[in-house]
Amino acid sequence: MRVKATENYDMIAKILLLGEIAVGKSSMILRYVEGKFPGEYQATIGANFLVKNVRVIQKNGTRKSIMLQIWDLGGHVRTISHVGPIFYQNANGALLVYDLTRPDTLEKLPLWYEACHMHAPRIKTLVVGNKCDLERKISKEDGKKMARRLNSVDFYETSAKTGDNIEQAFNSLALALIGR
Ligand code: GDP
């Protein structure tokens, strides 16, 4: 992959999408980077990571430019124990994603949180409840509670299908990485 000179960016950040299978991680990446929802087709990224350049504005008005390298778990990852340490290494941030129609996926988030902190101790994480276009089985309050428990930099409910809050969630993590 060809990458523009690093001088053009204030930061290059490796961010990970973590969470149980089928919560919508690949779909969120494709929505964010390419503006598409692959629907029932297998949402495979087909590369180790996708790149998105993002501009954020800090509280004092300073504009910053960040190159996000967004990593997805491969299709072979069916449980947390299938993720090797290299995937986490040097990661700056992670979206911890649950499916708000499946309570088991929220309950697993602390394990994902621990796994990424074990290999990337200074990683910053943001909890996301995806599929908010569907009928929920997890209240917003319960999602927020988990976000507080996991020291999340922010909390969003998103839909990769409609695009709701997808950009906001990624951009909020990017801003937290460069410093608000
Ligand atoms: P991953 O295994 O976490 O990467 O999940 P995928 O991105 O492959 O998505 C799993 C399934 O959920 C696919 O059938 C997607 O089309 C569907 N899906 C993903 N995000 C959403 C969403 O926001 N809303 C709805 N209704 N379906 C979604």
Side-chain angles (χ1 to χ4, degrees):
M1 179 184 313
R2 287 180 73 87
V3 170
K4 276 199 236 159
T6 54
E7 291 80 52
N8 294 340
Y9 304 96
D10 297 299
M11 182 184 192
I12 295 179
K14 174 179 177 180
I15 69 170
L16 315 175
L17 276 272
L18 302 177
E20 295 303 291
I21 193 158
V23 296
K25 300 179 298 295
S26 307
S27 302
M28 289 175 65
I29 297 175
L30 286 174
R31 165 63 73 187
Y32 182 57
V33 176
E34 293 177 3
K36 290 184 204 148
F37 179 67
E40 63 201 63
Y41 298 102
Q42 185 72 34
T44 35
I45 298 296
N48 288 336
F49 61 85
L50 289 185
V51 169
K52 170 119 174 170
N53 300 320
V54 55
R55 287 206 172 78
V56 294
I57 304 176
Q58 293 171 309
K59 232 186 255 159
N60 66 5
T62 311
R63 286 167 193 276
K64 296 281 187 183
S65 167
I66 307 168
M67 180 203 276
L68 294 180
Q69 297 178 346
I70 307 170
W71 294 67
D72 189 20
L73 296 168
H76 66 287
V77 173
R78 310 208 72 84
T79 71
I80 197 166
S81 60
H82 290 128
V83 187
I86 288 170
F87 181 73
Y88 299 109
Q89 267 161 24
N90 302 316
N92 303 97
L95 293 183
L96 300 177
V97 185
Y98 67 94
D99 174 345
L100 53 71
T101 72
R102 286 168 52 205
D104 62 299
T105 65
L106 180 67
E107 285 156 21
K108 289 279 172 59
L109 283 196
L111 295 178
W112 287 103
Y113 177 87
E114 283 167 25
C116 67
H117 275 85
M118 189 156 41
H119 302 292
R122 288 187 307 179
I123 195 169
K124 289 191 174 159
T125 51
L126 193 161
V127 170
V128 175
N130 188 43
K131 306 197 188 180
C132 70
D133 58 290
L134 299 178
E135 199 177 326
R136 68 169 69 241
K137 297 232 172 66
I138 299 168
S139 71
K140 195 166 189 173
E141 203 34 62
D142 282 349
K144 280 187 183 166
K145 222 183 268 173
M146 181 62 82
R148 280 194 295 271
R149 180 178 153 195
L150 299 184
N151 209 13
S152 178
V153 298
D154 213 335
F155 170 74
Y156 283 98
E157 290 187 332
T158 62
S159 168
K161 184 169 185 179
T162 65
D164 249 28
N165 272 342
I166 293 289
E167 191 147 327
Q168 286 85 341
F170 280 94
N171 288 5
S172 171
L173 179 61
L175 183 58
L177 294 182
I178 198 139
R180 289 165 166 154

